[in-house]
Amino acid sequence: MNEAQACKRIKLAGSEGCNVIYCEACAVAEVTIGAMSVRVDLDSLYDLQAVLTESLMKLSVLKATTVSPDFDYNQLNLQ
């Protein structure tokens, strides 16, 4: 951050215990989950979003296989 610039924090999303705050001056997002807080650049935030999206999709498929035991998980080619 430029010494002359003050942080300008904007809440992007979230609620109590889990949120994302973005500082325009620093171009950094702060991800808070419970007592843990991580500051990441925007590229890392997009990477985190991609990883979480993929994980949730695969978790949904895994849960579906427990409901439909005959479902062939390997046909999805998710490796």
Side-chain angles (χ1 to χ4, degrees):
M1 177 181 77
N2 184 339
E3 289 295 324
Q5 265 184 323
C7 285
K8 183 176 178 189
R9 296 165 52 90
I10 302 164
K11 184 174 181 177
L12 298 178
S15 59
E16 193 86 21
C18 185
N19 59 54
V20 179
I21 306 290
Y22 177 67
C23 176
E24 288 184 320
C26 301
V28 170
E30 183 175 333
V31 180
T32 302
I33 304 168
M36 181 180 69
S37 184
V38 178
R39 292 173 47 93
V40 296
D41 61 31
L42 293 184
D43 288 338
S44 297
L45 184 63
Y46 284 114
D47 290 343
L48 177 61
Q49 183 265 339
V51 168
L52 290 174
T53 299
E54 181 180 354
S55 298
L56 288 170
M57 187 265 310
K58 288 182 178 180
L59 182 59
S60 294
V61 171
L62 287 171
K63 285 185 173 186
T65 61
T66 61
V67 174
S68 302
D70 296 333
F71 181 79
D72 183 10
Y73 177 78
N74 292 323
Q75 74 182 354
L76 296 175
N77 193 22
L78 297 175
Q79 291 96 18

